[in-house]
Amino acid sequence: MPADRGRAAGPPTISEVAAEAGVGRATAARTLGGYGYVSPELRERVLAAAEKLGYRANALARSMSTGVSHTLGVIVADIGNPFFAGVVRGISDTSRARGFDTIVLSTYEELGEEVAATNVLIDKRVDGVIIASAAVDRTEVAHIKAAMDRGIPVVLVDRAVSSLDLDAVVIDNRDAAREGVEMLIAAGHRRIGFVWGPPLAQAPATRRGLLTAASRNLWTDGERLRGYLDALDDARIPFDPDLVMVGRKTEERVPGEVARMLALPDRITAVFCTETDAVTGALRAFRTAGLSCPRDVALIGFDDSSWAAVMEPPLTMIEQPVHELGAKAAEVLLDTIAGAEPRREMHTLRSRLIVRSSVAPPAGV
Amino acid sequence: MPADRGRAAGPPTISEVAAEAGVGRATAARTLGGYGYVSPELRERVLAAAEKLGYRANALARSMSTGVSHTLGVIVADIGNPFFAGVVRGISDTSRARGFDTIVLSTYEELGEEVAATNVLIDKRVDGVIIASAAVDRTEVAHIKAAMDRGIPVVLVDRAVSSLDLDAVVIDNRDAAREGVEMLIAAGHRRIGFVWGPPLAQAPATRRGLLTAASRNLWTDGERLRGYLDALDDARIPFDPDLVMVGRKTEERVPGEVARMLALPDRITAVFCTETDAVTGALRAFRTAGLSCPRDVALIGFDDSSWAAVMEPPLTMIEQPVHELGAKAAEVLLDTIAGAEPRREMHTLRSRLIVRSSVAPPAGV
DNA sequence: CTGTTAGCGCTTTCAA
DNA sequence: TTGAAAGCGCTAACAG
C-alpha cells in the first residue's frame, strides 16, 4: 500500500523518494537506477523510502534521457497464426532473458498496416525491430529503410526480402517443399496438386510465368514453388500449370480449387499444401468428392499442429522450428543492438518432415 | 530520404523542424501535434520542413509531457492459444479504431510472469490494462490492486476474479458447459467424463471437495464444473468423482486420464472437454483404446477451430465469441479512460454450441 | 496567431 | 561519495 504522499498527483517520482529519504535527487536516482556509488547507509534509506512510497521507475522518462528503451518491436502477419505465435514466443523468451521487453504488432498481411506498425515502433523508440515483412518490391520497403535510416537495427524473420541487405532468419523453404514433393513422387504420384499462395488474379499458364509471379511475391512462396519444381524436374515429371492453385489460401477458396484439380480428366492423386489452413481446405474437398485419404488422394502440408496427429488419417506434415526461428532472430538483433557489426546474411534453419499416414501410393499402383 | 541535417545526432526533433521552417518551436509543435491555431502559411512551411527532415514525433516525449500514452496493455495466458489470439485481435481492432496502440504480454499461466507483466505495463505508463488473470485468491491480486491504486483503469476479460470489484467481460461458461452436457444426456449418455482444468495434485473424492477446489481455482473452470453438475442434477444422474479429470490439460496427461475412464467397469460413453487441447488428447485416447467416435464414445469440447470441422467425425464444439469478447473489453476500458465512471459489473457474452457429428447415442441404446 | 518559457521524470556531467 | 543543475523532446500556459 503506498503511503499518503500528501497531495501528490500521479505515481511517486524519484524526487519524492529523495525527499522522503532526505537525500539529493541524484543519490536516489543512483541507487534506484543501480548505477554509480552510494554509501550503504544512504542506500538503505533510499530503498526504504522507495518501498514505502511504492516507487516504480518511469520507463518513459528513463528512455527519454538514456535514449534507449530496452524494448524490441516485432511485426508479423498474424499473431493468431500458430506459426507466428511460436516465432513470437521464441523472440520474447530470448529477449526477456536479455532484459528486453517486446511489443508485437500484427499486419494481417496488409502492407499499409505494416507501414503503420513500423511507424508506431519508430515513434515509441524501440531499440530494434524484427519483421516478417509482406514487402517484396523495392517500392514497398520504404518504411523499413526509414527505420534503418534512423539507426534502428532491423532483422527479417521467416520472409527474406531481396531488395533489403539485412540479416534474415528463415527456414529452408525450398528444400522443405522439395522433400515433401519427393516423398509423394517416391510413393508413385505424378499428378501432384500444389496449393500455392500468391494472391494473383489468374494463374500464369506457363512455368516461366509462374516463376515471374513468384519473384514478385512473398519470398517464402517463391521458394516453395521452386522446391516443387525441383522435385518434379529431378523425377522428369512434366510441369502442368493446371495443377497449381494460386490466390489467397483462404478456407473458402481452397476446397474449390482442389475440387477442380480432382475433377481433371487426368486428375491429381496427391496434394501438397504450402500452408496449414490450406490443409483443412483440401480435406474438405476430399470429403465432398467422396475421396478417402490416403487411399484415393495423398496429402502433405506445411506446419504441423496438434490436430494433424489426431486426424483420420494422421497427417504427414512439415514442421518448422518456430521457436528457434524467433530465438535466433532475437539473438541476431540483440547482438547488433549491443554493438556487433551486422553480418547481413541469411540464417537458414532446418525444417522437418513428420511422416504419418496421409501418403500412400496412388490407386492402381 | 531525410536530408542532411548537419551533424544532428539522432532522429530529427521538433526544434530542428522549427529551425528549418524558420518558426518558433511552439508553432512547429502546434502544427505537427495538431492542436492550437497556426496560419496556413506557416503551417505549410512547417509541414514541408518536417517532410524534408523525415520528422516523426517522439511518442515518449509526448507521453512524458501529456501524461497519457494512448496505449493499452493486455495480459493473457498465451497469445499462441487461438482463443486468446482472437480476443487480442478484438481488443486491438477496437482500440486502434479509437486511436490506441496495444502492447500484449503472455504469462503462460504463471502468476510470477503476470506480476512482471503488470509492472512492465505500469512502468511504460499505459493508459489502461485488460487482463485475463490467473489470480484467484485475495492474496494473489496485489499487482492488480497496485495498478488500480496508481489510477490505471483495469478490466478483466475471460476470467472474472471474485476478490476484485472490476468490470469483467466474460462468456456464459456455466450455461455453455451445461448445454453441452445436456446434449450428451439427451442423446442417452449417463456416464460422462469431464476433462477439467485445475492443476490439483489429486482429484477430490466428493462433490463438495470438487466445488471447494473450484472456488480456489480459475473462475472459468469453476463455472464449467458447475455447468456440468447442473446438467447432471437436472437429469438426476448421480455424480461420480471418478469421471472428472483434474490437473493441467496437457497433451500428455489427458490421454491417460481419458483412457482410465474408458477402462472403468462402468465405463464412460461420452467425454466433455473444457479446453481444445484436451479434445485432441481425448481423441488420442479413443484411438489407442480402439474406440470409434461417435459410435463408441461421444465427444464435445470447448473452443471451435477450423480443424474440428474436418475431423472424422466432424466435432461438435462450443464456440466462444472471441473477437467480441476482446472488443467489448476494449470498449469498456476505453470508455473508462475517456472518463466514464466504471460500472464494475460482469458483462456476459453468449457462446454457441456448434452441432456436428461427434455425438450419437451410446452403444446399446 | 506566434514565440518564450517552464516543466514532465529521469540520467548525467560537474563541482563540492 | 553526494548534490546541483542541465538536458532528453515534447506540450502547455502565458505573453505579446
Side-chain angles (χ1 to χ4, degrees), chain B residues 114 131 133 135-138 140-145 148 154 156 159-168 344:
Chain B
E114 184 175 315
I131 175 169
S133 178
V136 308
D137 266 17
R138 211 165 314 282
E140 301 177 326
V141 298
H143 59 296
I144 299 181
K145 285 245 170 76
M148 295 165 63
V154 177
L156 302 174
R159 283 116 91 128
V161 177
S162 59
S163 54
L164 250 22
D165 186 29
L166 288 173
D167 276 293
R344 305 179 188 292

Short mmCIF file of all heavy atoms in Angstrom, two decimals, chain B residues 114 131 133 135-138 140-145 148 154 156 159-168 344:
data_model
loop_
_atom_site.label_atom_id
_atom_site.label_comp_id
_atom_site.label_asym_id
_atom_site.label_seq_id
_atom_site.Cartn_x
_atom_site.Cartn_y
_atom_site.Cartn_z
N GLU B 114 2.82 -12.89 -14.58
CA GLU B 114 1.73 -11.93 -14.63
C GLU B 114 2.09 -10.67 -13.85
O GLU B 114 1.82 -9.55 -14.29
CB GLU B 114 0.46 -12.57 -14.06
CG GLU B 114 -0.75 -11.67 -14.17
CD GLU B 114 -2.03 -12.37 -13.72
OE1 GLU B 114 -2.25 -13.52 -14.12
OE2 GLU B 114 -2.78 -11.75 -12.95
N ILE B 131 -6.88 -7.61 -18.58
CA ILE B 131 -6.16 -8.78 -18.14
C ILE B 131 -7.02 -10.02 -17.94
O ILE B 131 -8.12 -9.95 -17.40
CB ILE B 131 -5.36 -8.44 -16.86
CG1 ILE B 131 -4.67 -9.67 -16.26
CG2 ILE B 131 -6.25 -7.82 -15.80
CD1 ILE B 131 -3.68 -9.35 -15.17
N SER B 133 -6.59 -12.71 -15.88
CA SER B 133 -5.70 -13.04 -14.77
C SER B 133 -5.78 -14.48 -14.29
O SER B 133 -6.83 -15.10 -14.30
CB SER B 133 -5.99 -12.12 -13.60
OG SER B 133 -5.17 -12.44 -12.51
N ALA B 135 -4.99 -15.03 -11.29
CA ALA B 135 -5.16 -14.86 -9.85
C ALA B 135 -6.53 -15.34 -9.40
O ALA B 135 -7.52 -15.21 -10.13
CB ALA B 135 -5.00 -13.39 -9.49
N VAL B 136 -6.62 -15.91 -8.23
CA VAL B 136 -7.92 -16.31 -7.72
C VAL B 136 -8.12 -15.76 -6.32
O VAL B 136 -9.09 -15.09 -6.03
CB VAL B 136 -8.11 -17.85 -7.74
CG1 VAL B 136 -7.80 -18.39 -9.11
CG2 VAL B 136 -7.25 -18.52 -6.72
N ASP B 137 -7.18 -15.99 -5.47
CA ASP B 137 -7.21 -15.52 -4.09
C ASP B 137 -7.10 -14.03 -3.93
O ASP B 137 -6.51 -13.38 -4.78
CB ASP B 137 -5.91 -15.94 -3.43
CG ASP B 137 -6.02 -17.20 -2.72
OD1 ASP B 137 -7.00 -17.93 -2.97
OD2 ASP B 137 -5.14 -17.42 -1.95
N ARG B 138 -7.47 -13.61 -2.78
CA ARG B 138 -7.25 -12.24 -2.35
C ARG B 138 -5.74 -11.99 -2.28
O ARG B 138 -5.27 -10.89 -2.51
CB ARG B 138 -7.83 -12.11 -0.94
CG ARG B 138 -8.38 -10.79 -0.53
CD ARG B 138 -9.22 -11.01 0.74
NE ARG B 138 -10.09 -12.19 0.59
CZ ARG B 138 -11.24 -12.17 -0.10
NH1 ARG B 138 -11.65 -11.06 -0.66
NH2 ARG B 138 -11.97 -13.27 -0.21
N GLU B 140 -3.48 -13.04 -4.20
CA GLU B 140 -2.76 -13.04 -5.47
C GLU B 140 -3.03 -11.82 -6.34
O GLU B 140 -2.55 -11.76 -7.46
CB GLU B 140 -3.12 -14.31 -6.26
CG GLU B 140 -2.77 -15.58 -5.51
CD GLU B 140 -3.21 -16.82 -6.28
OE1 GLU B 140 -4.24 -16.77 -6.97
OE2 GLU B 140 -2.52 -17.84 -6.20
N VAL B 141 -3.84 -10.91 -5.83
CA VAL B 141 -4.23 -9.79 -6.67
C VAL B 141 -3.50 -8.49 -6.37
O VAL B 141 -3.88 -7.43 -6.87
CB VAL B 141 -5.75 -9.55 -6.60
CG1 VAL B 141 -6.49 -10.77 -7.11
CG2 VAL B 141 -6.14 -9.22 -5.17
N ALA B 142 -2.46 -8.56 -5.56
CA ALA B 142 -1.75 -7.35 -5.17
C ALA B 142 -1.27 -6.53 -6.37
O ALA B 142 -1.38 -5.31 -6.38
CB ALA B 142 -0.57 -7.70 -4.27
N HIS B 143 -0.78 -7.22 -7.38
CA HIS B 143 -0.27 -6.49 -8.54
C HIS B 143 -1.38 -5.74 -9.27
O HIS B 143 -1.17 -4.63 -9.76
CB HIS B 143 0.45 -7.43 -9.50
CG HIS B 143 -0.40 -8.55 -10.02
ND1 HIS B 143 -0.92 -9.54 -9.21
CD2 HIS B 143 -0.82 -8.83 -11.26
CE1 HIS B 143 -1.62 -10.38 -9.96
NE2 HIS B 143 -1.58 -9.98 -11.20
N ILE B 144 -2.55 -6.33 -9.32
CA ILE B 144 -3.67 -5.66 -9.99
C ILE B 144 -4.12 -4.47 -9.15
O ILE B 144 -4.36 -3.37 -9.66
CB ILE B 144 -4.83 -6.64 -10.23
CG1 ILE B 144 -4.34 -7.78 -11.14
CG2 ILE B 144 -6.02 -5.93 -10.85
CD1 ILE B 144 -5.40 -8.80 -11.48
N LYS B 145 -4.19 -4.69 -7.85
CA LYS B 145 -4.55 -3.59 -6.94
C LYS B 145 -3.55 -2.45 -7.07
O LYS B 145 -3.93 -1.28 -7.07
CB LYS B 145 -4.55 -4.11 -5.50
CG LYS B 145 -5.75 -4.98 -5.16
CD LYS B 145 -6.61 -4.29 -4.10
CE LYS B 145 -7.95 -4.98 -3.90
NZ LYS B 145 -7.78 -6.21 -3.13
N MET B 148 -4.36 -0.44 -9.99
CA MET B 148 -5.55 0.36 -9.72
C MET B 148 -5.21 1.55 -8.81
O MET B 148 -5.68 2.66 -9.03
CB MET B 148 -6.62 -0.51 -9.09
CG MET B 148 -7.14 -1.60 -10.02
SD MET B 148 -8.08 -2.90 -9.13
CE MET B 148 -9.47 -1.94 -8.49
N VAL B 154 -8.50 -0.81 -15.02
CA VAL B 154 -8.27 -2.21 -15.35
C VAL B 154 -9.60 -2.88 -15.67
O VAL B 154 -10.59 -2.64 -14.98
CB VAL B 154 -7.64 -2.95 -14.15
CG1 VAL B 154 -7.47 -4.43 -14.47
CG2 VAL B 154 -6.30 -2.34 -13.77
N LEU B 156 -11.18 -6.85 -16.58
CA LEU B 156 -10.87 -8.27 -16.67
C LEU B 156 -11.53 -8.83 -17.92
O LEU B 156 -12.60 -8.38 -18.32
CB LEU B 156 -11.40 -9.00 -15.45
CG LEU B 156 -10.87 -8.49 -14.11
CD1 LEU B 156 -11.58 -9.20 -12.96
CD2 LEU B 156 -9.37 -8.70 -14.01
N ARG B 159 -11.71 -14.19 -17.62
CA ARG B 159 -11.72 -14.72 -16.28
C ARG B 159 -12.10 -13.66 -15.26
O ARG B 159 -11.37 -12.69 -15.06
CB ARG B 159 -10.32 -15.24 -15.93
CG ARG B 159 -9.98 -16.58 -16.57
CD ARG B 159 -8.84 -16.54 -17.55
NE ARG B 159 -7.55 -16.80 -16.95
CZ ARG B 159 -6.68 -17.71 -17.39
NH1 ARG B 159 -6.99 -18.50 -18.42
NH2 ARG B 159 -5.53 -17.86 -16.82
N ALA B 160 -13.22 -13.84 -14.58
CA ALA B 160 -13.59 -12.93 -13.51
C ALA B 160 -12.75 -13.31 -12.29
O ALA B 160 -12.26 -14.42 -12.20
CB ALA B 160 -15.07 -13.06 -13.20
N VAL B 161 -12.56 -12.35 -11.41
CA VAL B 161 -11.82 -12.63 -10.17
C VAL B 161 -12.69 -12.08 -9.05
O VAL B 161 -12.91 -10.88 -8.96
CB VAL B 161 -10.45 -11.93 -10.16
CG1 VAL B 161 -9.74 -12.17 -8.84
CG2 VAL B 161 -9.60 -12.43 -11.32
N SER B 162 -13.20 -12.99 -8.23
CA SER B 162 -14.20 -12.59 -7.23
C SER B 162 -13.71 -11.52 -6.26
O SER B 162 -14.47 -10.67 -5.85
CB SER B 162 -14.69 -13.81 -6.45
OG SER B 162 -13.59 -14.42 -5.82
N SER B 163 -12.42 -11.55 -5.93
CA SER B 163 -11.96 -10.57 -4.95
C SER B 163 -11.66 -9.21 -5.55
O SER B 163 -11.16 -8.32 -4.88
CB SER B 163 -10.72 -11.11 -4.23
OG SER B 163 -9.73 -11.47 -5.16
N LEU B 164 -11.99 -9.04 -6.83
CA LEU B 164 -11.72 -7.77 -7.48
C LEU B 164 -13.03 -7.15 -7.96
O LEU B 164 -13.77 -7.76 -8.72
CB LEU B 164 -10.80 -8.01 -8.69
CG LEU B 164 -9.35 -7.54 -8.68
CD1 LEU B 164 -8.80 -7.35 -7.30
CD2 LEU B 164 -8.51 -8.50 -9.49
N ASP B 165 -13.27 -5.94 -7.53
CA ASP B 165 -14.50 -5.28 -7.93
C ASP B 165 -14.26 -4.47 -9.20
O ASP B 165 -14.09 -3.25 -9.16
CB ASP B 165 -14.97 -4.36 -6.78
CG ASP B 165 -16.32 -3.76 -7.09
OD1 ASP B 165 -17.10 -4.41 -7.82
OD2 ASP B 165 -16.59 -2.64 -6.62
N LEU B 166 -14.25 -5.19 -10.32
CA LEU B 166 -13.91 -4.55 -11.59
C LEU B 166 -14.88 -4.97 -12.67
O LEU B 166 -15.59 -5.96 -12.55
CB LEU B 166 -12.52 -5.02 -12.03
CG LEU B 166 -11.31 -4.50 -11.28
CD1 LEU B 166 -10.06 -5.20 -11.74
CD2 LEU B 166 -11.19 -3.00 -11.53
N ASP B 167 -14.87 -4.21 -13.75
CA ASP B 167 -15.63 -4.66 -14.92
C ASP B 167 -14.97 -5.92 -15.43
O ASP B 167 -13.74 -6.04 -15.45
CB ASP B 167 -15.58 -3.59 -16.02
CG ASP B 167 -16.62 -2.51 -15.82
OD1 ASP B 167 -17.82 -2.85 -15.93
OD2 ASP B 167 -16.25 -1.37 -15.54
N ALA B 168 -15.79 -6.89 -15.82
CA ALA B 168 -15.25 -8.14 -16.36
C ALA B 168 -16.09 -8.53 -17.56
O ALA B 168 -17.31 -8.52 -17.50
CB ALA B 168 -15.30 -9.22 -15.30
N ARG B 344 -18.20 -1.49 -12.98
CA ARG B 344 -17.75 -2.59 -12.14
C ARG B 344 -18.74 -3.74 -12.15
O ARG B 344 -19.15 -4.24 -11.11
CB ARG B 344 -17.56 -2.13 -10.70
CG ARG B 344 -16.64 -0.96 -10.55
CD ARG B 344 -16.49 -0.51 -9.12
NE ARG B 344 -15.74 0.74 -9.04
CZ ARG B 344 -14.45 0.85 -9.35
NH1 ARG B 344 -13.77 -0.20 -9.74
NH2 ARG B 344 -13.84 2.03 -9.25
#
